[in-house]
Amino acid sequence: MITKALTTLKKRLSPHLELSNSRLETMCLLIMGMVNARTVNLSHLACEFPTDSKVESTYRRLQRFFQHVDLGSDWAAPLLVKMIGSGPTWHLCLDRTNWKIGQRHVNFLVLAIVTRRHRIPLMWSVLGRAGNSDTAQRIALMKRYLSVFEVSTIKFLLADREFIGAQWLDFLHKNNVPFVIRIKANQLVTTQDGKTQNLSTLLRTCRGKRNFDARFGGNNLGEATWFSFAAKRIKGGELLIVVSNRPAHRALATYKKRWAIESLFGDTKTRGFNLEDTRLTISKKLELLLGLVALAVAWASKTATKLIGGGKMKRKKHGYFAKSFFRIGFDQLRKLLRSDPNAAVSPWLLIPPIITRDV
């Protein structure tokens, strides 16, 4: 039964990946192994392969896969979009996830696609050091997105306070990328009445929600872009302030969707594939690994779609879902891989033999 499932995966991925039959088979078994074993650790995955070879031999096979396979930066993005069957537009969330392997920092800058139910890593880069991304790295990632997908696919780009800066926002605005990004309360702005002050002073009397237009910096900036701002007090009295290049009346509600990428990181780590179990530290290998994890996340998410259909997810008394959409699909997928592998791989049939740029 597992052989038929493996054949289906290979058939769907083969037209899109320049891999030998052996490498393609290894990739497919890796993805299935990640689901079954709930880890990306190669020594554990070596025990998941349905082969008569010694575990040591299989482990070396996996090492050679990551050593020699290089599919480029964005090979997975079109496959992911086709598998989840998203509509013509979606939200994008930008954030980092990082951890340490010994003394080495693993630091991913991730651009994720977020829809009503799905949250999937779409494109990413390994920063190669600890700390925040810089403007050039963010712009480079967005340029990669715009080289694969039309800007019209973006409902809004959402990001936290780390992702600010005049050059970065100017790039997004000039490329017509709609965004809602949280900013710091000490940011200096000039309002339409000509007053220049930091946001915490401007909003010191803010109790409810407040929308206004302003531009960053002082009055001497001349042609500086006017942006829309929205603000409110949150628990503890802290100011939540977002900036957008679209009217701000829905900006705060839209910004709530940014939390989806935090949940996504949990899906790739402790709630799902334990990404931090990897011992890989080389950027090229890490980028390939996250591509495999992204396909597995999409697979689990699409399995939930098939299981739930148009039905409603169960909620507990406190109002939160009993299980996340991802965990519903992930648990069902693990069950099907053991009981009905052919049903388990059915989401892969959504990937056509040829993918054209129709988004």
Side-chain angles (χ1 to χ4, degrees), residues 255-275:
Y255 181 75
K256 289 181 180 180
K257 301 178 187 297
R258 193 209 67 85
W259 188 253
I261 196 169
E262 303 286 357
S263 300
L264 168 62
F265 291 152
D267 298 341
T268 61
K269 295 180 181 178
T270 54
R271 286 195 299 270
F273 300 99
N274 287 288
L275 183 59

Side-chain angles (χ1 to χ4, degrees), residues 4-268:
K4 290 183 179 179
L6 178 61
T7 300
T8 300
L9 263 66
K10 289 171 61 178
K11 184 177 181 181
R12 288 295 159 173
L13 290 177
S14 178
H16 312 291
L17 304 173
E18 294 183 2
L19 292 174
S20 67
N21 185 65
S22 175
R23 298 283 193 226
L24 184 60
E25 180 177 291
T26 302
M27 172 183 279
C28 295
L29 289 171
L30 271 168
I31 295 171
M32 289 192 290
M34 289 175 184
V35 175
N36 276 327
R38 287 197 60 183
T39 184
V40 300
N41 185 278
L42 298 188
S43 62
H44 292 305
L45 292 178
C47 302
E48 293 290 322
F49 274 45
T51 175
D52 294 329
S53 301
K54 293 181 179 180
V55 172
E56 293 82 359
S57 299
T58 304
Y59 179 67
R60 181 59 188 142
R61 177 183 176 182
L62 300 183
Q63 286 182 314
R64 288 195 299 268
F65 177 85
F66 284 97
Q67 181 180 354
H68 297 295
V69 171
D70 186 357
L71 296 173
S73 298
D74 305 317
W75 61 274
L79 301 175
L80 292 165
V81 170
K82 287 299 181 183
M83 183 183 289
I84 65 174
S86 180
T89 61
W90 46 72
H91 288 95
L92 293 177
C93 292
L94 182 66
D95 205 353
R96 285 187 310 111
T97 183
N98 61 282
W99 66 94
K100 292 182 71 174
I101 300 175
Q103 297 301 311
R104 296 287 296 273
H105 289 272
V106 176
N107 197 0
F108 279 103
L109 179 65
V110 180
L111 190 64
I113 181 173
V114 173
T115 68
R116 185 171 67 91
R117 286 181 164 178
H118 302 296
R119 50 199 190 210
I120 313 292
L122 189 65
M123 293 179 178
W124 48 86
S125 57
V126 179
L127 299 182
R129 54 171 174 75
N132 295 350
S133 62
D134 59 38
T135 296
Q137 290 167 326
R138 299 168 201 162
I139 290 176
L141 186 59
M142 280 306 303
K143 283 183 175 179
R144 282 165 49 193
Y145 177 89
L146 296 174
S147 71
V148 179
F149 302 102
E150 301 291 346
V151 70
S152 59
T153 59
I154 307 173
K155 287 183 178 179
F156 279 99
L157 172 68
L158 311 175
D160 206 353
R161 286 171 289 192
E162 175 184 328
F163 302 95
I164 57 175
Q167 186 181 352
W168 162 239
L169 297 183
D170 187 57
F171 166 81
L172 295 175
H173 186 64
K174 287 182 176 178
N175 285 273
N176 201 31
V177 176
F179 63 81
V180 177
I181 297 176
R182 188 176 181 181
I183 55 175
K184 299 176 181 179
N186 63 358
Q187 179 67 55
L188 192 69
V189 298
T190 298
T191 53
Q192 288 181 313
D193 59 6
K195 292 182 179 179
T196 299
Q197 52 194 327
N198 63 44
L199 289 167
S200 59
T201 301
L202 176 65
L203 298 168
R204 63 186 180 279
T205 61
C206 177
R207 294 295 177 266
K209 295 180 181 179
R210 182 172 172 186
N211 300 335
F212 59 95
D213 292 336
R215 58 187 182 185
F216 292 103
N219 265 316
N220 58 345
L221 295 180
E223 299 299 321
T225 304
W226 289 92
F227 291 113
S228 297
F229 292 76
K232 71 174 183 178
R233 296 278 177 185
I234 56 177
K235 188 178 294 186
E238 183 183 1
L239 277 168
L240 170 61
I241 312 168
V242 297
V243 60
S244 180
N245 56 348
R246 298 292 187 270
H249 64 282
R250 293 287 299 166
L252 290 170
T254 300
Y255 181 75
K256 289 181 180 180
K257 301 178 187 297
R258 193 209 67 85
W259 188 253
I261 196 169
E262 303 286 357
S263 300
L264 168 62
F265 291 152
D267 298 341
T268 61

Side-chain angles (χ1 to χ4, degrees), residues 291-308:
L292 302 182
V293 171
L295 286 171
V297 170
W299 188 9
S301 192
K302 197 61 183 178
T303 300
T305 299
K306 188 173 182 180
L307 179 64
I308 299 172

